[in-house]
């Protein structure tokens, strides 16, 4: 502690933090935490697990913030005292401290790409040609890399220019800058996170240790906390922290004597929970957007706690106060201050909209402009430094806002008599000015002295190395960057993964339900197979089907590996574990669940189908099937880990899928495969699994030859042949011997599939286990040595300019230059407090919006909850009204209710426009800029605004006028440079502006609602946005806006305030007044006197108890409001507004339609947007094309140039049957696209932009061109290489096949859209695809032939199966009139009775059934071929060539049904509960 004090004292020479002031602040924080944070142990243990109920500490205490869950407890927790006592105890025990000062010299970061470089979006056309040329590009890159002269020929841009400085232990640095200035880059680089950057140069040292050694040996001591909260949603808060602590618990030498690991972890966890006031959430799931859990503010605090468990001594916090109100953000930074001072941490933080209270807690401030350091030094000297440069003094602006404002060309103001001619303005000039300043020289002097001290004394470095070594568990290498060894990491991860799976009830229920359902479907399809020749083929079919279904159930592992990357990246960066440990733990934790699931699956199928019922047979079946499951799980995990994105992974999986199925040895026996392809079987795990399963079953049974497998036999009117197999008859079953009716299963396997039962254990199982081990190794090696953690950066993607957009952008640039001076003059007037006069009656001819007695009640488990309670208010034209309140007060709820966006719960009260109830066209007359910023991601900024203008402005308005208005909006929102940028690549600020622009483009007649428009923006961006809203209001627009963390200057832009408290109660509604004097007077009158130098917007929240501090006064502010004259005056004014409005005579207008434009125009605009969206989504569209091409090509290769044999006949059937796979390839790719588009539609439908019927029709029409292209490619590669069209239909029949494939494409698209339209999200929709596809492909009459199918299924499911019609039409067309000539091995050979010829003995049989005799006049060795023409194959399957057009018509009707059902579902099912 003394070292820290000395460090702080030494910094005071250049304006460091005063020790006494800092300690006073610590004690103040401790007092606040004591009063408002800690829950007594007795209350804590008695609280119901996961409860969010409101608790009171005593009878006088009122309701507490639901999110904070804080109560007053007699047992106090003093944060400063706790840390200090713990620190002292460690010193007495001789435990080393980790004090890590950070120094950097000429520190800079470069990325690929030149200045002004634009990255254009890839289109389907680009992807199509680049894919085929990519091997050449890769080869060229490889050759170029090997050539020294070409090796470093890259164009780069410096995004962080050379900077030098230091931050000593116990100090905090605030990093400031406008968006894109390099704050995140600096923080990531300091934390040694260098992925994604081309070069990080300069010298940066941590306690004298270089960056390379820190990354290799001390990775977990440098941590970076990103803006987003990334957690496992199905773990509780306590489990999340327990896991983090279990991987970072210090060894015996790093703990106090007598303190066990569990005691240490419990102590630290309780301290963090209490410090961050989340003790009540310990047993609550963390949750996310799909899993209900803690609130957003609590989740942010979980992120903070998790990073604090690392006990890292260099911490970088990137805008970690985002989404928190001002008081909560201040509490967080105060906690950082306490921990930094007491523990000697080194803390860097970037914060948006930092108030003065936060700013004063830092020791250093860094100001960045376009990656250049224009100030680094003491915070209390920063404002004076910029004023000295010649910038105007703006005392009303917070220091953080002032500093960033001086660096913004649109915001900076010069002192009187100064201008940009004599004041450094450019980033380069500002940087040069700072480098020559006295402060920079002092920092350089401190840096030099600190480095000398670090190099000579090395006390901190040695203590740091010793402390880290003592932290490690016994047996862990000193050079390891981890606290635990690999074994302990795997144990901790396995425990966590098991908890995660156990608590994900939805996943458990759905996976077990669907797997059991699939087993029942397969078992029912192949129910009770007989041990005869009739059950031989179907027995092999069910084994093959059961194996494939369970093996490819692991396909979901591929996307799961990608979804888990962010959490692995974060936690490996924290030094919790090495990546390889995750894969081992995943497998071990999954085994208890997957083993039980596969066991149930195997039991159902095995015994329903009537496979050999012996213990050895079943357990061998289960062992092999489960081993194959694990091997394929490892296979798909390896692909998921190896590929950078899902589209690349699915292309790779689709490439392997046909090979795995075709070369498994079922469709094509290995001795029948092409000699140049059969080797694929030997590298196919499924081949060994299938062989083992078949051998396990067939070596245990003997098949009885009877029925259709006996030739010649009695058929029709023929009855001269023996009933049982006689000496002059033959069995056509593979492996049958002349004169015997029993065929050993082993002989059947050997003859039919070239499988030897002796290979079961000696080869097949051994190789299968080898594959399993191989894939376990590959996934471990891939994630360890080839991690795919790099995410996308903040780079905008642009659409290529057309001649029109090029002209429009030039005009916008000219208008931007003309507008700059006007904006500066306006900002100066605002800073001077000069406001334009506003006439409250200037827009009296426009409509006024009022609401009275507004209540909103929602259902919750166990009853109901009231979220709004008797809220009154109004919004007049030409006014800007702020809606504010504490977290959870109901701000967004109130806005949703007023905007008529709620569809659950009960709303009561009166909402009037001009004194009348709302009409049906209310939604059209309003615009609502929601907080979520949901847009069509592939549209450009201009296209998104035009789409809104075209469909929301009246249809009679000319298109040119709408386009011109959009250009005005682009200019007003300062989006000129991003007009052609794609929405999905926009940053937070630009996306927020676009959301507002899209709503403004509709020209709302009545009201503009905005929900948190400044959330996530820096202070300057927030000011620009509110300035624009003020302009709109001054032009007559009525605006109601929720606002977050407003500065005093920003707050004054509003005319009126509606302040909500907990439970949706009104605290204040009325005018704000100049300098907020009206609102100040109201609060002062009731005991809350706002100091002159305090932001009134922040003060009023603290006064009502929104933060950690208790409210001011004994009486609840909601009761004060109800009893106030202001409340009476507000109600009276609402009555006056209604009375005056009803008294005014307005012309009677024709009733508006629900939509502004007619149906066909809506369809035209929507289809145009969908067309652009798909064209700019090459990953999706080209993956579809690639899957069709790959499957068709890989299926055609083993079936090249098919002939006229029976085997070739069977292969033609298999080739056609592969068409049923197409929907299974299309649907999983299409569902996410449809659901994402529906999400956009739900937002747009709320504003009555276009009809749900237009949405559904537009989704289908956009897919048609690509479906036609995919169908043609699949058809060409299927039909001609396989040599189709050899029957009576000829080549004209192949054209018919194209028609069927086209319908199949459209059927698949509409089926995928139908499934997506009736499900709430991708998690549910993806579960439907496997069972639907298995049912459709199993009951179509091929897998189980029509005669062998059970009567129950044959009577209805077979008839309702669309694939029945598809296969019937395709098979009958291809096989009709196709002549069949058996190969020698395909003949059934028998001897006629003595003295008879073959035709005399078997002629009657041949005439009664089918086939032909190859040697009718011979008297021995009669050769019988089963088929003479292809018709004889499909007629017993209930297929008729004459019905092919009927079947196609029925198949088309299924497509029409899917389409109509999708339209209806889109109209009535939106799953948007709010």
């Amino acid at each position: 502690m003394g070292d820290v004090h000395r460090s702080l004292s030494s910094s005071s020479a250049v304006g460091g933090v005063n020790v006494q002031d800092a300690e006073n602040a610590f004690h103040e924080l401790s007092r606040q935490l004591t009063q408002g944070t800690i829950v007594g142990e007795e209350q804590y243990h008695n609280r119901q697990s996961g409860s969010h109920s409101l608790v009171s500490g005593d009878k006088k205490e009122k309701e507490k913030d639901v999110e904070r869950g804080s109560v007053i407890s007699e047992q106090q927790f003093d944060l400063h005292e706790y840390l200090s006592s713990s620190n002292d105890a460690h010193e007495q025990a001789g435990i080393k401290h980790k004090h890590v000062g950070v120094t950097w010299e000429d520190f800079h970061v470069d990325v690929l790409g030149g200045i002004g470089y634009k990255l254009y979006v890839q289109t389907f056309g680009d992807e199509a040609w680049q894919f085929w040329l990519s091997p050449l590009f890769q080869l060229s890159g490889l050759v170029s890399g090997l050539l020294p002269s070409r090796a470093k020929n890259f164009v780069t841009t410096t995004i962080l220019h050379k900077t030098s400085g230091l931050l000593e232990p116990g100090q905090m640095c605030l990093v400031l800058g406008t968006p894109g200035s390099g704050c995140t880059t600096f923080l990531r680089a300091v934390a040694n996170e260098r992925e994604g950057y081309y070069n990080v140069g300069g010298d940066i040292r941590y306690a004298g240790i270089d960056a390379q050694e820190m990354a290799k040996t001390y990775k977990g001591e440098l941590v970076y906390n990103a803006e987003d909260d990334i957690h496992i949603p199905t773990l509780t808060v306590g489990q999340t922290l327990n896991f983090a602590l279990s991987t970072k618990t210090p060894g015996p030498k790093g703990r106090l004597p007598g303190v066990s690991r569990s005691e240490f972890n419990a102590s630290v966890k309780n301290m963090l929970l209490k410090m961050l006031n989340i003790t009540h959430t310990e047993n609550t799931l963390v949750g996310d957007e799909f899993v209900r859990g803690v609130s957003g503010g609590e989740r942010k605090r979980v992120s903070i706690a998790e990073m604090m468990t690392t006990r890292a001594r260099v911490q970088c916090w990137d805008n970690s106060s985002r989404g928190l109100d001002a008081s909560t953000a201040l509490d967080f930074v105060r906690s950082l201050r306490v921990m930094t001072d007491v523990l000697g941490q080194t803390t860097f933080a970037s914060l948006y909209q930092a108030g003065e209270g936060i700013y004063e807690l830092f020791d250093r401030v860094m100001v960045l402009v376009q990656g250049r350091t224009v100030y680094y030094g003491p915070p209390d000297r920063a404002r004076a430094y910029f004023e000295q440069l010649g910038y105007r003094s703006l005392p009303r602006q917070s220091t953080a806002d002032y500093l960033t404002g001086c660096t913004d060309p649109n915001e900076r103001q010069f002192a009187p008599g100064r201008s940009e001619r004599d004041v450094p303005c450019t980033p380069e000039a500002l940087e040069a000015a700072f480098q020559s300043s006295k402060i920079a020289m002092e920092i350089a002097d401190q840096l030099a002295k600190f480095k000398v001290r670090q190099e000579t004394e090395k006390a901190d470095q040695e203590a740091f190395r010793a402390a880290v070594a003592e932290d490690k568990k016994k047996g862990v290498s000193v050079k390891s960057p981890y606290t635990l060894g690999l074994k302990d990491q795997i144990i901790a991860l396995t425990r966590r993964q098991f908890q995660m799976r156990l608590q994900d009830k939805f996943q458990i229920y759905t996976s077990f339900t669907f797997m059991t359902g699939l087993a029942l479907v397969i078992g029912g399809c192949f129910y009770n197979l007989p041990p005869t020749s009739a059950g031989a083929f179907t027995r092999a079919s069910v084994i093959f089907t059961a194996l494939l279904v369970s093996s490819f159930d692991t396909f979901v592992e591929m996307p799961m590996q990608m979804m888990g990357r962010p959490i692995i990246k974060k936690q490996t960066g924290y030094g919790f574990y090495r990546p390889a440990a995750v894969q081992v733990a995943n497998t071990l934790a999954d085994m208890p669940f997957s083993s039980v699931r596969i066991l149930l699956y195997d039991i159902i199928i095995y015994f329903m189908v009537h496979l050999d019922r012996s213990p050895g047979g079943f357990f061998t079946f289960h062992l092999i099937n489960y081993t194959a499951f694990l091997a394929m799980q490892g296979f798909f995990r390896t692909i998921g880990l190896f590929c950078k994105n899902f589209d690349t992974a699915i292309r790779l999986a689709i490439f392997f899928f046909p090979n795995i199925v075709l070369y498994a040895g079922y469709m094509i026996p290995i001795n029948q495969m092409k000699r140049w392809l059969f080797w694929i079987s030997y590298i196919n795990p499924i081949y060994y699994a299938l062989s083992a399963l078949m051998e396990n079953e067939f070596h245990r049974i003997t098949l009885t030859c009877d029925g259709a497998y006996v030739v010649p036999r009695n058929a029709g009117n023929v009855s001269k042949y023996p009933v049982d197999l006689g000496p002059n008859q033959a069995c056509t079953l593979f492996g049958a011997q002349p004169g015997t009716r029993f065929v050993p299963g082993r002989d059947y396997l050997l003859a039919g599939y070239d499988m030897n039962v002796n290979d079961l254990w000696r080869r097949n199982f051994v190789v299968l286990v080898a594959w399993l081990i191989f894939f376990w190794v590959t996934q471990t090696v891939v994630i360890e040595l080839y991690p795919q953690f790099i995410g996308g950066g903040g780079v905008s993607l642009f659409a290529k300019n057309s001649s029109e957009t090029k002209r429009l952008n030039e005009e916008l640039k000219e208008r931007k230059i003309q507008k700059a001076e006007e904006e500066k003059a306006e900002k100066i007037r605002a800073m001077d407090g000069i406001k334009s006069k506003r006439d409250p009656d200037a827009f009296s001819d426009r409509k006024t919006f009022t609401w009275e007695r507004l209540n909103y009640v929602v259902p919750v488990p166990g009853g109901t909850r009231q979220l709004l309670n008797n809220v009154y208010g109004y919004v007049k034209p030409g006014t800007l009204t702020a809606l504010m309140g504490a977290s959870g007060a109901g701000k967004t709820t109130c806005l949703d209710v007023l905007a008529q966006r709620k569809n659950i719960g009960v709303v009561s009260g009166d909402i009037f426009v001009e004194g009348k109830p709302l009409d049906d066209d209310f939604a059209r007359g309003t615009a609502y800029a929601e907080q979520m910023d949901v847009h069509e991601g592939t549209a450009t900024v201009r296209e998104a605004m035009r789409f809104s203008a075209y469909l929301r402005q009246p249809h009679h308005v000319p298109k040119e006028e709408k386009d011109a208005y959009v250009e005005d909006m682009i200019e007003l929102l300062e989006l000129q440079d991003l007009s052609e940028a794609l929405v999905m690549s926009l940053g937070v600020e630009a996306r927020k502006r676009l959301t507002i622009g899209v709503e403004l483009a509709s020209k709302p007649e009545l009201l503009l609602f905005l929900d948190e428009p400044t959330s996530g923006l820096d202070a300057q961006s927030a000011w620009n946005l509110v300035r624009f809203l003020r302009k709109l209001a001054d032009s007559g627009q009525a605006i109601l806006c929720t606002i977050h963390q407003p500065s005093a200057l920003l707050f004054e832009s509003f005319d009126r305030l509606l302040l909500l408290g907990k439970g949706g109660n009104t605290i204040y509604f009325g005018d704000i007044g100049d300098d907020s004097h009206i609102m100040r007077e109201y609060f002062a009158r009731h005991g809350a006197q706002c100091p002159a130098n305090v932001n009134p917007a922040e003060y009023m929240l603290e006064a009502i108890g929104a933060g950690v501090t208790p409210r001011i006064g004994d009486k609840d502010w909601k009761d004060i409001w109800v009893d106030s004259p202001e409340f009476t005056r507000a109600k009276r004014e609402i009555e006056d507004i209604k009375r005056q409005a009803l008294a005014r005579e307005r012309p009677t207008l024709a009733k508006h339609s629900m939509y502004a434009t007619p149906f066909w125009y809506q369809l035209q605009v929507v289809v145009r947007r969908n067309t652009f969206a798909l064209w700019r989504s090459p990953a999706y569209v080209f993956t579809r094309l690639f899957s069709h091409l790959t499957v068709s090509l890989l299926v055609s290769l083993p079936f090249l140039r098919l002939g006229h044999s029976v085997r070739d006949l069977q292969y033609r059937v298999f080739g056609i049957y592969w068409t049923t796979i197409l929907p299974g390839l299309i649907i999983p790719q299409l569902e996410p696209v449809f659901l994402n588009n529906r999400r956009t539609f739900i937002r747009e439908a709320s504003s009555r932009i276009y009809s749900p019927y237009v949405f559904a029709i537009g989704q289908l029409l956009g897919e048609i061109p690509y479906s036609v292209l995919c169908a043609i490619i699949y058809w060409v590669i299927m039909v001609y290489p396989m040599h189709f069209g050899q029957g009576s239909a000829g080549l004209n029949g192949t054209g018919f096949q194209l028609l069927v494939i086209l319908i199949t494409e459209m059927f698949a698209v509409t089926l995928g859209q139908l499934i997506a339209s009736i499900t709430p999200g991708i998690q549910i929709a993806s579960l439907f695809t496997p069972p639907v596809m298995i049912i459709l492909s199993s009951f179509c009459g091929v897998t189980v032939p029509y005669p062998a199918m059970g009567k129950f299924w044959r009577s209805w499911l077979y008839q309702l199966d669309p694939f029945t019609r598809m296969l019937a039409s395709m098979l009958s067309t291809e096989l009709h009139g196709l002549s069949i000539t058996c190969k020698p091995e395909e003949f059934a050979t028998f001897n006629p009775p003595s003295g008879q010829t073959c035709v005399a003995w078997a002629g009657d049989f041949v005439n009664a059934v089918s086939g032909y005799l190859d040697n009718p006049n011979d008297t021995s060795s009669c050769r019988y071929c089963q088929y003479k023409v292809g018709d004889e194959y499909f007629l017993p399957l209930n297929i008729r060539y004459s019905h092919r057009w009927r079947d196609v018509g029925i198949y088309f009707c299924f497509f029409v049904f899917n389409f109509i059902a999708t339209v209806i579902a889109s109209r009535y099912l939106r799953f948007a509960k709010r």
Side-chain angles (χ1 to χ4, degrees), residues 486-501:
L486 180 61
K487 183 191 74 173
D488 292 310
Q489 292 175 25
I490 291 172
I491 292 172
L493 279 163
T494 302
R495 185 184 302 112
R496 184 193 72 175
Q497 299 301 97
F498 185 80
Q499 289 174 338
M500 182 179 74
R501 285 166 169 77

Side-chain angles (χ1 to χ4, degrees), residues 547 550-551 554 587 591 594-595 598-599 602 619-635 685-686 688-690 692-693 760-761 763-776:
L547 174 64
S550 61
S551 296
T554 60
T587 302
M591 277 185 174
S594 61
S595 61
I598 298 299
L599 178 62
D602 289 343
F619 285 109
T620 301
F621 178 88
H622 174 62
L623 174 65
I624 295 168
N625 198 30
Y626 187 57
T627 306
F629 171 88
L630 293 176
M632 294 305 295
Q633 185 184 62
F635 171 73
I686 295 298
Y688 296 98
L690 179 66
L693 289 174
L760 172 56
W761 298 110
R763 187 194 71 167
N764 295 328
F765 182 71
V766 172
V767 176
L768 184 60
V769 171
W771 276 115
L772 168 62
I773 296 172
F774 174 77
F775 288 131
W776 279 354

Side-chain angles (χ1 to χ4, degrees), residues 271-284:
M271 182 272 291
L272 291 172
L273 291 173
K274 290 176 180 179
M275 183 184 74
L276 296 169
N277 193 19
I278 50 175
T279 52
H280 61 290
T281 68
E282 182 175 0
N283 297 315
T284 306

Side-chain angles (χ1 to χ4, degrees), residues 281 300 479 547 568 610 720 845 934 941 1005 1185 1252 1340 1343:
T281 68
K300 173 61 68 177
K479 296 183 179 180
L547 174 64
I568 296 175
H610 197 194
K720 68 178 186 178
D845 58 323
V934 178
V941 168
E1005 300 174 359
L1185 180 67
C1340 60
T1343 306

